[in-house]
Structures are given as structure tokens and as C-alpha cells.
Amino acid sequence: MSLTATLDRAAGPPAAYRLIDALVLAVLAAALAACYAAGMAPPTVLAVALASFGLEFAVGRVVTDGLLRGLELADEAPPRLRRIAAEVAAELGVATPSVVVDRESDGGVNVLGGGDRTVLVASASLVDRLDDGALRAVVAHELAHRSLGHLHRVPLREGATHAVGLAAFWFLALRQLPPGVAAVAGGAFLVAGVGRSNDVNRLLYVLASAGVVVLVRALAARANRLEECHADDVAVAATSATDFCTGLYAVGAVGDADDAVAGGSPFGARRTRIERLTAEHPSIEARLARYGLAPDEVAERARVERPADD
């Protein structure tokens, strides 16, 4: 049994992901304390933490604002989707989001922004393919993250990972360099970590920290997976297990990298070793199994072919 499933059964998702968050913060505190004990000046220790969290929040804000501006020209959603989103938002006690459809992607649902500027983005093809129950379920899953406060914790986990990685980089190499050179190299490390959009950045990020960031990301990923389970439970309560699993399978079978419901690599049988370690969503097989269902039981209703296990 996986660690995620073990924690889920032992404590339930909310208690389990809060426990992991506490552990991530403990790792962060230990890393910064080790740097201080090895000679890092207190102002530098503070700068490492502030830069790591500050850059993550700043870049996240800029990216989100850019996406929201781009959505101003997107097509308005059909009445059916707007009605479902409004009903689910009212039931979950969150503000009714603006709703738009993306006609370029094959599948996926996402929620951007927050407060008075929340936008639900859904693939037009997915909206056409799903019946009301399944569509309502995937919308409920995404809005559940908003009602449960999950979206505020993601940048905190990312910032903690950057800070621990930068502390490891300093401990292993930067402390032996002149301060100015160390500052530039540390900044480059953070930029590579925040912008892990290509293989070069990801490789530099991992190598400079001697793999420490992979271990912290693996820990944080467990918290993210448990939050997904929590949102799954809310979606099932708002609809049914069959409705949610059908919608989840339909989204996952398309494999859209930008989808927030199933994730970029949704099927466990097709994940690489590193994806099994750091993926932020549980596999679809595991998520269906939580509700006593198998992929074959929902594939036909989802109106997609079952992906091969290669």
C-alpha cells in the first residue's frame, strides 16, 4: 500500500496533509538551522527564506494575472456549464466563478484566480462529452479546492522546497565562493527552480541541491495527493461516486498537461519512476479504487477509449 493510501486510511486526508505540511516546515527549519550552524549569517538565513518564498509567490501571481488577461478573450461557456458552476459554487459556499471554455485543448478543467476574480476554465470538447452528473462532479472537485483553502498551500510547499534546496546548495558549494558570486549563483538556482518549464532548468535545480529538492518535493507531493483525495470526497458528496469517477476518467484519458482534476500524468501504469515519486495527483486507478470502482466500469460512460498501459 502506498504512503498516501496509508495516511488516508489512518488519519483521513485533512489531518494527514496537515501533518505532512508540519513535517515540511520542520525540514525547512532544520535546513536553515544547519546553515546557521555552519557559519551562515542570520541576515543571510532570513534572505534565503524570503527570496525562496517571495519569488515563488511573485512569479505565481504574474503567471496567474497573465492567464486571466488572456481569458478575457475566451469564449463564454454554454448555459448548461454556467448553471452547473453556479449551483455547485452555492452549495460549497464559494463565490460563483466566471466560466469560459477553451476550444483548443482536448480536455481538462481548471480554476484560476481567487476572491472576486475566480475563473473556471473547461475544455469545450469535455463539456460536450460529459453528461450533467459527471460534469457537475469535476466542477465540484475543482471548486472544492477553493472552498477547502488548498490553493493557498501550494506556493508555501514550493517555497519551502526552494529554500531547503538553496540551503543544500549553499552548504555544498556556495559558502566556498565570494559573497557576490554566491548571491548570483543562488539567484540562478531559484530562477531555475521556480521556472522548471524545461529539462535544463529541472536538471540544474536537482544537481545543484544534490537531489535534496527531489526528496522535499516527494514529501510535498504526498500532501498534494491527499488534498486531491479530500476534493474527490467533496465532489462525490455533491454528486455520486460513479459520476465523479466517470468525469475523472474522461479527463484523465485525454491526458491534458494543464488539467487540474486528473493531473498531467494521470494513469499510474504509464508513470515514469520520477513521476511516481513526485506526481501531485494520485493515479486514476487509485482514486477510482477508493470508491470501489475500476476503469472498465466507467470507461464506456466517459465516452473515451481506455488508454493503453504502455
Side-chain angles (χ1 to χ4, degrees), residues 5-300:
T6 300
L7 291 172
D8 182 16
R9 291 190 178 186
Y17 61 67
R18 291 188 181 103
L19 176 63
I20 293 176
D21 282 341
L23 183 56
V24 170
L25 291 177
V27 171
L28 170 61
L32 295 178
C35 288
Y36 173 73
M40 182 182 284
T44 306
V45 174
L46 180 62
V48 167
L50 291 179
S52 299
F53 286 96
L55 186 60
E56 179 65 37
F57 275 94
V59 171
R61 180 65 178 270
V62 169
V63 171
T64 299
D65 287 347
L67 290 172
L68 289 173
R69 284 194 297 271
L71 291 174
E72 292 175 358
L73 300 177
D75 294 336
E76 188 178 63
R80 179 173 76 106
L81 179 57
R82 296 202 306 271
R83 171 181 56 80
I84 288 173
E87 291 172 354
V88 172
E91 290 177 9
L92 297 184
V94 298
T96 301
S98 301
V99 187
V100 298
V101 292
D102 182 354
R103 300 196 179 280
E104 296 183 0
S105 68
D106 293 326
V109 179
N110 211 331
V111 172
L112 301 173
D116 296 331
R117 202 184 180 192
T118 301
V119 181
L120 176 75
V121 187
S123 161
S125 62
L126 181 71
V127 173
D128 292 339
R129 191 165 65 247
L130 293 182
D131 60 31
D132 280 9
L135 182 59
R136 179 185 176 87
V138 294
V139 169
H141 171 92
E142 276 308 288
L143 292 181
H145 284 304
R146 179 73 59 196
S147 68
L148 297 169
H150 293 165
L151 300 184
H152 300 301
R153 297 188 179 97
V154 174
L156 292 174
R157 293 175 190 137
E158 291 288 343
T161 302
H162 302 328
V164 173
L166 182 53
F169 188 23
W170 179 86
F171 195 88
L172 294 171
L174 296 185
R175 61 176 172 162
Q176 301 170 12
L177 301 176
V181 176
V184 172
F189 172 85
L190 289 180
V191 170
V194 173
R196 299 185 307 275
S197 57
N198 60 70
D199 291 338
V200 173
N201 279 0
R202 285 192 288 269
L203 183 61
L204 290 174
Y205 187 56
V206 172
L207 291 180
S209 68
V212 168
V213 291
V214 176
L215 300 178
V216 183
R217 280 185 57 78
L219 183 61
R222 269 54 191 179
N224 292 332
R225 293 181 192 183
L226 287 159
E227 286 183 341
E228 293 299 326
C229 292
H230 195 183
D232 289 353
D233 291 340
V234 171
V236 168
T239 54
S240 71
T242 302
D243 283 337
F244 172 69
C245 291
T246 298
L248 173 66
Y249 187 87
V251 174
V254 175
D256 192 289
D258 294 328
D259 168 64
V261 176
S265 180
F267 288 91
R270 306 175 71 181
R271 287 180 175 175
T272 64
R273 290 184 179 180
I274 192 67
E275 286 172 339
R276 292 171 188 168
L277 186 64
T278 61
E280 297 183 351
H281 291 69
S283 69
I284 283 183
E285 297 95 329
R287 293 168 78 176
L288 267 59
R290 288 184 78 231
Y291 304 109
L293 294 171
D296 287 338
E297 296 178 77
V298 297
E300 182 176 353

